[in-house]
Amino acid sequence: LNPTDVPEAFFVLDEKDVTDQYVKAFDISIPIKYEYNGERKKKIGVICVFDNKNWRVVYWGEIKSKKFHFNKMASGILYVGAYYENGDIIPATDPFLLREDGTVDYCVPNENDLIDMKLERKYPLMRGIRMKAFGIVGMLAEGANNSMFNNPTTFFTQSVRSYNVMDSLINSSTRFKYVRLNIAKNRDANLAEVEFYGKEMQDGEEKKLEGKVIGYPPSEEWSNPYQNAMDGNLETFFEKDKKREGWVGLELDKPCYITRVRFAPRSDTNFILEGDTYELKYWGDTHWVSAGIKVAEQYNYINFKNIPSGAIYLLSNLSRGKEERIFTYENGVQVWW
């Protein structure tokens, strides 16, 4: 091996490749699409995966008959073949999926087959975030006309997990001075944000309701107090101990008819955020190509039209955040790699 052709981490003589003992693995031969144009002929190539920002070398292989030959490659992964030159990775093949049966599918943008894409996230929903969403199951949305919420009116009960922003429509025939989200005693809340909407008159215009933020337990008793759920920041959250009462709400400036409650659980904020700017890119010959920049007009999804099909894609939030992951778009769904 030449140290200019392969990262130093692979120069370990006493290591043995045992990939095939743990996962389905295959020896693969990948045609080279772009010849190396350096001063000397390359005899070694590298195979890379995308680490959410850049291609990263995971193994090396010989170059023979204008093909990269890689041994014992794990299946169910998206790769690209490349040259390595003094720390630089130079892509030399189309990205490809090594399927569970050992077949190879190349991801090549087809500009003659344009598709519309409805995108919901820029990074996959991980297990930890899924578990946090249990915190709002059993939560009650309530209204009352006394500060103790004696005999409250229940607008709805949250019966399922949610992973992004939800709007629950309400048609109250009574004005309420006090509104709240009342967390189930056996849950820890993990409530990121809540907004109440309503009308002063039944035939009036809906507006976001304002008032004094109220809640329990007292803020001095908890590091993530109820005020976090009404600070306009999806990255902070209200949390309480299980088996303890907990709620957050408003003492409204004026009694109102309640029309809607918008809320979101604690999350990674990698779903689509209203008002943020997003860029969709697809992998072209050897680099990322911008397919457009848009401001999200609503929470939870964003549409891009007339995008080349068959490629790998990357959605970036230009307003905030760092996490992003490549995906393919199959049958109208983002498939993460």
Side-chain angles (χ1 to χ4, degrees):
L1 292 179
N2 188 318
T4 64
D5 294 338
V6 179
E8 289 185 9
F10 294 95
F11 285 84
V12 182
L13 299 179
D14 58 350
E15 282 190 353
K16 182 180 180 180
D17 186 354
V18 294
T19 302
D20 58 343
Q21 297 182 27
Y22 294 91
V23 298
K24 284 186 179 180
F26 299 91
D27 297 344
I28 56 176
S29 297
I30 306 299
I32 294 173
K33 188 173 183 179
Y34 304 102
E35 294 287 343
Y36 180 67
N37 60 6
E39 295 181 356
R40 60 185 180 83
K41 185 177 180 180
K42 286 279 189 182
K43 296 181 179 180
I44 298 294
V46 293
I47 188 168
C48 307
V49 297
F50 199 73
D51 68 357
N52 300 333
K53 288 296 180 185
N54 300 291
W55 294 108
R56 178 172 61 86
V57 178
V58 293
Y59 204 47
W60 60 275
E62 294 184 334
I63 297 175
K64 293 181 180 179
S65 302
K66 297 184 178 181
K67 292 183 178 180
F68 291 122
H69 299 272
F70 302 110
N71 297 328
K72 297 183 180 180
M73 299 311 303
S75 60
I77 296 176
L78 190 146
Y79 299 101
V80 72
Y83 306 110
Y84 183 85
E85 184 65 30
N86 293 322
D88 293 329
I89 294 172
I90 307 168
T93 73
D94 290 315
F96 59 91
L97 297 169
L98 179 55
R99 299 291 187 182
E100 298 288 341
D101 62 359
T103 58
V104 173
D105 290 340
Y106 293 94
C107 299
V108 183
N110 185 350
E111 296 188 359
N112 293 319
D113 181 22
L114 303 180
I115 58 174
D116 295 341
M117 303 174 71
K118 180 180 179 179
L119 306 179
E120 298 181 352
R121 296 183 62 86
K122 64 184 182 70
Y123 190 80
L125 185 63
M126 308 306 285
R127 184 176 182 274
I129 297 300
R130 292 180 184 272
M131 297 304 294
K132 296 296 184 185
F134 273 116
I136 63 171
V137 174
M139 174 180 71
L140 303 177
E142 298 176 326
N145 282 306
N146 60 84
S147 61
M148 300 301 293
F149 283 87
N150 295 325
N151 299 314
T153 295
T154 299
F155 302 131
F156 66 85
T157 301
Q158 181 64 20
S159 59
V160 298
R161 283 183 289 178
S162 169
Y163 306 113
N164 46 29
V165 175
M166 290 192 68
D167 273 312
S168 292
L169 299 180
I170 296 167
N171 185 17
S172 66
S173 58
T174 304
R175 289 189 182 96
F176 293 96
K177 176 70 173 176
Y178 300 88
V179 289
R180 71 178 180 180
L181 290 185
N182 191 6
I183 307 301
K185 281 190 177 181
N186 64 335
R187 303 295 182 184
D188 53 12
N190 276 313
L191 179 65
E193 201 65 25
V194 57
E195 297 173 347
F196 296 93
Y197 292 80
K199 304 175 181 179
E200 292 184 20
M201 304 295 293
Q202 282 189 317
D203 59 352
E205 184 177 346
E206 183 190 63
K207 64 179 181 179
K208 180 182 174 182
L209 300 178
E210 305 291 342
K212 177 183 177 182
V213 178
I214 55 177
Y216 187 86
S219 57
E220 61 270 15
E221 296 182 16
W222 199 245
S223 58
N224 296 303
Y226 63 83
Q227 288 93 339
N228 285 358
M230 300 198 78
D231 62 359
N233 184 357
L234 285 166
E235 296 181 356
T236 63
F237 57 94
F238 165 39
E239 186 179 42
K240 70 172 184 66
D241 285 326
K242 293 181 179 179
K243 299 183 179 179
R244 187 177 186 183
E245 291 185 1
W247 54 273
V248 58
L250 286 175
E251 178 184 350
L252 300 177
D253 295 335
K254 295 179 180 180
C256 289
Y257 298 100
I258 309 304
T259 58
R260 183 161 51 103
V261 180
R262 172 178 284 180
F263 60 94
R266 179 182 177 183
S267 72
D268 55 10
T269 64
N270 285 320
F271 57 89
I272 304 304
L273 304 175
E274 183 180 62
D276 281 9
T277 302
Y278 291 85
E279 181 177 20
L280 177 64
K281 292 171 281 189
Y282 63 91
W283 186 260
D285 293 333
T286 58
H287 59 279
W288 290 108
V289 178
S290 179
I293 297 176
K294 292 185 66 176
V295 176
E297 296 178 353
Q298 64 280 306
Y299 283 107
N300 303 336
Y301 71 90
I302 189 169
N303 295 318
F304 285 87
K305 295 182 179 296
N306 299 320
I307 307 302
S309 62
I312 60 171
Y313 307 93
L314 190 67
L315 183 66
S316 303
N317 185 336
L318 304 182
S319 300
R320 71 180 96 183
K322 297 179 180 179
E323 291 182 321
E324 53 194 32
R325 177 80 64 87
I326 56 173
F327 60 93
T328 52
Y329 197 70
E330 304 174 24
N331 299 316
V333 176
Q334 291 173 270
V335 179
W336 303 99
W337 301 98

